[in-house]
């Protein structure tokens, strides 16, 4: 029997900060460690799928769909759930996806002491290192809640804070059609798409995913991981697909 995840507290509507994008696409964005990244380049036809709050019993289905479509995503994992499903995190990594840090048990970090913030993040990075053999480089704050003091702690732990530019609100379970529409009705170059593979019943997210991938590809958008999106933004070009 799979362990049934308790619900991650439902999110107060996070307001992602607007991405800092150079007006002139030829200008290379400065690489500043504690700059929050919410979007890639508006000049490059690529987007990133991101999955938060896992791993969970839904993660294998998400991984199967990604693999069937030969695309990769970025998983912002919650430490306490990595304990229960380490093999899913290993499968994420071995399939070419990126495993990132989403705290130990999903608190609003802006309400915690700096010691507790440190513990939430470092304990999770250590477990990811222990699980897949590499340290995460990316961090997403629960609820998108971040302030200057959290930002500086994140930077000290060699993590780049990541938000998003398209919120599917899949965690509200609006139906798979609505989740598909949330993406395809507004998606464009450089978007970072927020979905969830944990924290509750994610069958609607799973049902929506093949149509989202197909729709993105039909719009000529390449699906890349967050590190790739950031690298290409900084380089100002899309890397060729290597096979
Ligand atoms: Zn979350």
């Amino acid at each position: 029997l799979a362990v049934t995840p308790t619900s991650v507290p439902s999110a107060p509507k996070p307001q992602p900060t607007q991405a800092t994008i150079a007006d002139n696409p030829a200008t290379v964005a400065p690489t500043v460690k504690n700059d929050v990244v919410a979007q890639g380049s508006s000049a490059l036809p690529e987007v990133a799928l991101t999955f938060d709050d896992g791993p969970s019993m839904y993660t294998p289905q998400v991984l199967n769909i990604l693999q069937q479509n030969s695309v990769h995503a970025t998983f912002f994992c919650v430490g306490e759930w990595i304990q229960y499903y380490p093999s899913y995190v290993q499968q994420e990594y071995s399939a070419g996806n990126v495993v990132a840090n989403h705290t130990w048990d999903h608190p609003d970090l802006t309400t915690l002491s700096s010691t507790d913030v440190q513990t939430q993040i470092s304990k999770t990075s250590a477990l990811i290192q222990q699980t897949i053999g590499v340290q995460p480089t990316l961090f997403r704050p629960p609820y998108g809640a971040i302030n200057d003091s959290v930002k500086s702690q994140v930077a000290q732990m060699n993590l780049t804070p990541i938000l998003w530019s398209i919120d599917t609100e899949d965690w509200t379970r609006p139906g798979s059609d609505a989740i598909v529409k949330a993406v395809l009705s507004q998606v464009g170059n450089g978007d970072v798409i927020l979905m969830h593979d944990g924290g509750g019943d994610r069958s609607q997210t799973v049902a929506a995913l093949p149509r989202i991938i197909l729709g993105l590809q039909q719009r000529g958008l390449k699906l890349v991981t967050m590190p790739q999106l950031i690298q290409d933004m900084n380089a100002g070009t899309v890397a060729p697909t290597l096979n």
Side-chain angles (χ1 to χ4, degrees):
L1 263 179
V3 175
T4 304
T6 52
S7 226
V8 170
S10 61
K13 284 293 162 57
Q15 292 296 322
T17 55
Q18 286 303 302
T20 307
I21 293 176
D23 289 326
N24 178 348
T27 305
V28 176
T31 308
V32 179
K33 198 89 195 179
N34 66 353
D35 259 7
V36 173
V37 177
Q39 204 162 11
S41 169
S42 59
L44 302 177
E46 58 183 16
V47 298
L49 296 178
T50 65
F51 294 91
D52 288 13
D53 298 357
S56 83
M57 59 185 287
Y58 297 94
T59 303
Q61 297 173 70
V62 170
L63 286 173
N64 278 339
I65 295 165
L66 295 175
Q67 192 142 27
Q68 281 161 14
N69 288 277
S70 302
V71 297
H72 296 120
T74 304
F75 290 86
F76 290 91
C77 296
V78 174
E80 70 173 359
W81 291 109
I82 300 173
Q83 296 180 113
Y84 290 103
Y85 301 108
S87 67
Y88 296 168
V89 178
Q90 287 158 356
Q91 286 166 37
E92 289 169 358
Y93 180 69
S94 64
N97 303 289
V98 170
V99 177
N101 185 325
H102 194 45
T103 74
W104 186 260
D105 60 8
H106 211 272
D108 177 343
L109 294 177
T110 64
T111 68
L112 300 188
S113 69
S114 60
T115 306
D116 287 348
V117 169
Q118 168 84 26
T119 303
Q120 282 285 333
I121 300 173
S122 63
K123 199 174 162 189
T124 305
S125 281
L127 183 55
I128 290 172
Q129 159 84 50
Q130 187 189 319
T131 304
I132 63 168
V134 296
Q135 285 276 340
T137 61
L138 305 178
F139 170 77
R140 179 174 275 160
Y143 317 108
I146 192 161
N147 57 21
D148 285 345
S149 105
V150 173
K151 267 187 214 172
S152 80
Q153 283 191 270
V154 168
Q156 279 163 24
M157 287 181 266
N158 291 314
L159 293 161
T160 299
I162 305 295
L163 293 176
W164 58 85
S165 59
I166 292 181
D167 186 353
T168 63
E169 301 194 14
D170 63 335
W171 60 273
T172 67
R173 299 200 277 273
S176 59
D177 290 350
I179 296 170
V180 174
K181 193 179 169 197
V183 177
L184 299 183
S185 66
Q186 58 175 321
V187 71
N189 289 350
D191 274 319
V192 175
I193 298 160
L194 171 62
M195 292 181 283
H196 295 80
D197 69 317
D201 180 345
R202 299 297 171 234
S203 52
Q204 293 181 6
T205 304
V206 169
L209 187 55
R211 283 182 283 159
I212 289 173
I213 293 170
L214 180 63
L216 293 171
Q217 290 174 333
Q218 285 173 341
R219 284 161 173 74
L221 295 165
K222 184 177 171 185
L223 282 78
V224 298
T225 62
M226 277 310 303
Q228 187 72 54
L229 194 80
I230 294 168
Q231 185 182 314
D232 292 347
M233 174 171 64
N234 290 337
T237 56
V238 176
T241 304
L242 300 173
N243 284 310

